[in-house]
Amino acid sequence: PASAPALTVSATRTALAVGGAATDGELLDPDVSADGEWLVYSSDATNLVDGDDNGVADVVITEVASCDTIRIEPPDDEVSDGDSYAPTVCDDGSKVAFTTDSDVFGGVDDQNIANDVYVYARAPDADDVYDADGATAFVRMSVDENGFEGESGGYQGAISGNCQGVAFTSADALAGGDLNELEDVYVHETEGFAISWISEVTSAEGG
């Protein structure tokens, strides 16, 4: 019988430190956009970008083709005071969901001293210019439909491919009728206030 064709595997090291050096920390939780253009991950490395001296893990975005890298930083020149991790990116790379222990991404509204799920909108003005200074936005997902936070926050955020919703886990009652005092799965719109209690739907359908 004819022999099978040889399989060629090509791998490219995408995440490089400043100047092409080796990174000085771990790179974890990778996710890639559907078009293969954007890689997101968390890292405690200090040399992926210049000026990373906050001493915590950050969420990082790398353009695969160029290896250009940016670190997701809090708004208003705040410095992150807690780890950020578990990022996911939607299909076109325009939004990234992540969990953070820091309380500065939400400004004065983040008072629960708990980890929360946020969405980082890279071009909220829809001009397709990503990560421009002063033209990005953060929206906290782990809140109820009125924007009120719970005591437990949220984690395990995962953004949909179409960038329109984020699923996450929370022990807070973020939707009407949630009285079970257990961890539940919710989906929050990225550009609206609607939030759905997915655990309730699954239970009602026998899941």
Side-chain angles (χ1 to χ4, degrees):
S3 59
L7 176 63
T8 301
V9 178
S10 176
T12 301
R13 186 177 182 184
T14 302
L16 298 173
V18 175
T23 59
D24 60 2
E26 292 185 316
L27 280 61
L28 304 170
D29 307 323
D31 191 33
V32 66
S33 60
D35 59 10
E37 186 172 355
W38 303 101
L39 174 68
V40 299
Y41 49 97
S42 61
S43 179
D44 60 1
T46 64
N47 61 346
L48 287 169
V49 297
D50 289 322
D52 185 356
D53 55 4
N54 60 15
V56 298
D58 300 295
V59 170
V60 180
I61 304 171
T62 294
E63 185 178 24
V64 173
S66 66
C67 291
D68 288 343
T69 296
I70 67 115
R71 174 172 56 118
I72 295 181
E73 301 181 63
D76 303 322
D77 296 322
E78 294 280 357
V79 177
S80 179
D81 56 359
D83 291 335
S84 298
Y85 46 91
T88 60
V89 61
C90 63
D91 285 355
D92 65 6
S94 64
K95 291 183 174 69
V96 177
F98 64 97
T99 302
T100 183
D101 299 335
S102 174
D103 60 2
V104 298
F105 284 93
V108 296
D109 293 329
D110 189 347
Q111 299 290 326
N112 61 6
I113 315 178
N115 47 338
D116 281 295
V117 176
Y118 281 86
V119 159
Y120 171 62
R122 304 177 64 196
D125 54 3
D127 65 357
D128 294 329
V129 178
Y130 288 170
D131 311 309
D133 288 342
T136 60
F138 291 92
V139 181
R140 184 158 49 151
M141 297 287 98
S142 48
V143 293
D144 69 13
E145 62 184 11
N146 297 308
F148 296 130
E149 66 183 7
E151 295 180 354
S152 302
Y155 57 99
Q156 295 180 329
I159 195 166
S160 61
N162 62 10
C163 313
Q164 295 179 4
V166 172
F168 63 94
T169 301
S170 178
D172 294 315
L174 299 178
D178 183 358
L179 303 176
N180 62 14
E181 299 182 356
L182 300 172
E183 292 185 340
D184 290 297
V185 176
Y186 295 91
V187 172
H188 201 298
E189 290 183 351
T190 59
E191 297 184 9
F193 300 101
I195 184 168
S196 302
W197 179 22
I198 300 304
S199 300
E200 178 190 37
V201 175
T202 304
S203 297
E205 294 177 352

